[in-house]
Amino acid sequence: MQESAFPAVTVSSAAQRNHSTQMGQALWRLPPRQQQQLQEELADRLADRGGRREQGRDGGPQRRAPQHCYGPDIYHLLRTRMGGKEQHGFIDLEMLPPELGITILSYLNATDLCLAGCVWQDLGNDEYLWQGLCKSTWGHCSIYNRRLPAGFSYRRLYLQLDEGSLTFNANPQEGISYFMSKGILVDHPTELAKFIFYTRRLNWKMLRIYLDERRDVLDELVTLHNFSNQFLPNALRDFFRHIHAPEERGEYLETLITKFSHRFCACNPGLVRELGLSPDAVYVLCYSLILLSIDLTSPHVKNKMSKREFIRNTRRAAHNVSDDFVGHLYDNIYLIGHVAA
């Protein structure tokens, strides 16, 4: 395999890390005098193209004072790196720092990446690049922890992961079956929960259907959350960011809030003792926060609930909670917004 000038950021080789660092430093950390020179060249180029180059007192061209900026642009950085030579067409990704190049490629899907690999052949054959793209998009797969067979290709794995994600977004059960048939996942609740937790490509509606059917996976997914030292509304937002709340109130929403309440208390034993909270009290507070979020954010509700009304209504259901704590809950929703948006 030809080693590309575009290693992924996950490469463990010290030599490749040093090469990446040196290349990035050589490109970005230009001396101030060279930056000023590049800015002056840019001003002259723009003046020449516009045909508005000003005349000096002696009849010759007058150099414009460079405008202040925080650094040269990509065009001049690449031109400096190539020794001042002009480059026409698209920017060669191999000339960019590895961190910037992999960020650009991470926005492409599997089809576009294959097309890009036809143009940049060295990049298309760089296994370190495909390994970084796999692990940055699908953070956990069972196959990562196994000894890889001879001839294993991360490029092929990326295409399989992309195909499986598209299948999951159409039919969750078929998608998981596809991953298992390719040896990417094993049928264990913990492995499936980690895959869901660290993956960005799964449709949240299909994910909700799957978790409603696989409560064992849901239990493991809840335990992956760490709510230590988090304010209750912020922790609830973080929870619903990974496990989306249903659109209607029902048994599934009650299950989610119940599991969240127990997990929040387990992560904050000191807070529970200090405020006298319990899973049941957190359960009541979560429902109050959801109802308050709807009340304050819905355009159909004309008469918004006041802070005093919220404290009074919440204290009726959660007697051990102080007025100050409930008031802070109201302020958080009022300033930040819906907990399940």
Side-chain angles (χ1 to χ4, degrees), residues 168 173 176 187-197 204 206-227 238-246 250-263:
F168 182 95
Q173 294 295 342
I176 295 297
D187 190 9
H188 191 277
T190 302
E191 289 294 306
L192 296 176
K194 289 181 178 179
F195 173 77
I196 293 172
F197 187 80
W204 64 271
M206 295 300 170
L207 185 59
R208 187 177 65 194
I209 295 175
Y210 179 76
L211 293 176
D212 194 14
E213 297 174 353
R214 291 292 302 267
R215 296 299 176 91
D216 54 342
V217 178
L218 177 61
D219 291 338
E220 296 294 333
L221 186 59
V222 172
T223 59
L224 293 175
H225 290 80
N226 183 12
F227 301 125
D238 184 44
F239 179 74
F240 284 137
R241 192 175 296 117
H242 288 93
I243 308 175
H244 288 266
E251 187 269 338
Y252 180 62
L253 178 60
E254 295 178 0
T255 301
L256 291 181
I257 297 179
T258 300
K259 294 182 181 299
F260 168 82
S261 302
H262 285 84
R263 181 60 182 170

Side-chain angles (χ1 to χ4, degrees), residues 269-279 281-282 319-322:
L271 181 66
V272 169
R273 291 192 300 268
E274 179 182 354
L275 299 178
L277 296 177
S278 65
V282 175
H319 304 286
N320 297 330
V321 183
S322 66

Side-chain angles (χ1 to χ4, degrees), residues 130-200:
W130 291 103
Q131 179 182 0
L133 291 173
C134 287
K135 293 188 177 181
S136 63
T137 307
W138 298 273
H140 178 86
C141 293
S142 304
I143 196 172
Y144 294 160
N145 301 322
R146 294 202 298 264
R147 185 174 182 179
L148 302 178
F152 177 82
S153 171
Y154 273 102
R155 178 177 180 175
R156 186 184 308 113
L157 176 62
Y158 184 96
L159 297 177
Q160 291 174 347
L161 287 168
D162 187 75
E163 178 68 23
S165 298
L166 293 175
T167 305
F168 182 95
N169 293 338
N171 188 309
Q173 294 295 342
E174 292 184 4
I176 295 297
S177 300
Y178 177 87
F179 288 129
M180 294 179 182
S181 65
K182 300 297 182 181
I184 298 174
L185 294 176
V186 297
D187 190 9
H188 191 277
T190 302
E191 289 294 306
L192 296 176
K194 289 181 178 179
F195 173 77
I196 293 172
F197 187 80
Y198 294 107
T199 298
R200 301 181 302 173

Side-chain angles (χ1 to χ4, degrees), residues 29-320:
R29 298 181 181 178
L30 297 177
R33 181 175 298 177
Q34 193 170 0
Q35 292 187 17
Q36 182 178 359
Q37 181 182 358
L38 291 175
Q39 295 170 21
E40 293 176 355
E41 292 178 5
L42 176 60
D44 292 341
R45 179 182 295 274
L46 293 176
D48 291 339
R49 289 181 179 177
R52 297 192 302 267
R53 189 155 187 165
E54 299 178 1
Q55 300 293 322
R57 294 181 180 179
D58 56 356
Q62 178 182 1
R63 182 180 297 275
R64 293 187 177 184
Q67 296 181 352
H68 174 73
C69 65
Y70 294 97
D73 57 12
I74 290 291
Y75 170 78
H76 285 84
L77 289 171
L78 293 177
R79 183 164 175 253
T80 302
R81 182 171 174 79
M82 294 184 296
K85 298 179 181 180
E86 293 287 344
Q87 179 179 357
H88 302 283
F90 293 103
I91 294 177
D92 189 353
L93 290 183
E94 293 184 354
M95 300 300 297
L96 297 176
E99 295 81 0
L100 180 58
I102 197 172
T103 301
I104 294 173
L105 293 175
S106 64
Y107 288 96
L108 305 179
N109 56 30
T111 303
D112 294 334
L113 281 172
C114 290
L115 294 175
C118 296
V119 179
W120 298 289
Q121 295 183 3
D122 291 338
L123 294 177
N125 296 325
D126 189 351
E127 281 294 293
Y128 290 121
L129 169 67
W130 291 103
Q131 179 182 0
L133 291 173
C134 287
K135 293 188 177 181
S136 63
T137 307
W138 298 273
H140 178 86
C141 293
S142 304
I143 196 172
Y144 294 160
N145 301 322
R146 294 202 298 264
R147 185 174 182 179
L148 302 178
F152 177 82
S153 171
Y154 273 102
R155 178 177 180 175
R156 186 184 308 113
L157 176 62
Y158 184 96
L159 297 177
Q160 291 174 347
L161 287 168
D162 187 75
E163 178 68 23
S165 298
L166 293 175
T167 305
F168 182 95
N169 293 338
N171 188 309
Q173 294 295 342
E174 292 184 4
I176 295 297
S177 300
Y178 177 87
F179 288 129
M180 294 179 182
S181 65
K182 300 297 182 181
I184 298 174
L185 294 176
V186 297
D187 190 9
H188 191 277
T190 302
E191 289 294 306
L192 296 176
K194 289 181 178 179
F195 173 77
I196 293 172
F197 187 80
Y198 294 107
T199 298
R200 301 181 302 173
R201 293 286 183 87
L202 303 181
N203 181 272
W204 64 271
K205 291 184 178 180
M206 295 300 170
L207 185 59
R208 187 177 65 194
I209 295 175
Y210 179 76
L211 293 176
D212 194 14
E213 297 174 353
R214 291 292 302 267
R215 296 299 176 91
D216 54 342
V217 178
L218 177 61
D219 291 338
E220 296 294 333
L221 186 59
V222 172
T223 59
L224 293 175
H225 290 80
N226 183 12
F227 301 125
S228 300
N229 300 320
Q230 288 193 35
F231 193 37
L232 180 60
N234 298 333
L236 194 59
R237 288 189 187 92
D238 184 44
F239 179 74
F240 284 137
R241 192 175 296 117
H242 288 93
I243 308 175
H244 288 266
E247 298 175 354
E248 298 179 357
R249 180 176 178 178
E251 187 269 338
Y252 180 62
L253 178 60
E254 295 178 0
T255 301
L256 291 181
I257 297 179
T258 300
K259 294 182 181 299
F260 168 82
S261 302
H262 285 84
R263 181 60 182 170
F264 181 83
C265 292
C267 293
N268 298 279
L271 181 66
V272 169
R273 291 192 300 268
E274 179 182 354
L275 299 178
L277 296 177
S278 65
D280 292 338
V282 175
Y283 178 92
V284 172
L285 293 176
C286 288
Y287 256 116
S288 298
L289 290 173
I290 294 175
L291 296 177
L292 177 64
S293 299
I294 297 173
D295 185 275
L296 295 182
T297 60
S298 176
H300 303 292
V301 179
K302 302 301 181 182
N303 298 322
K304 305 296 184 182
M305 184 183 301
S306 66
K307 187 175 183 178
R308 180 177 299 178
E309 291 173 338
F310 178 73
I311 294 175
R312 183 178 65 250
N313 296 337
T314 304
R315 286 296 307 277
R316 291 176 180 174
H319 304 286
N320 297 330

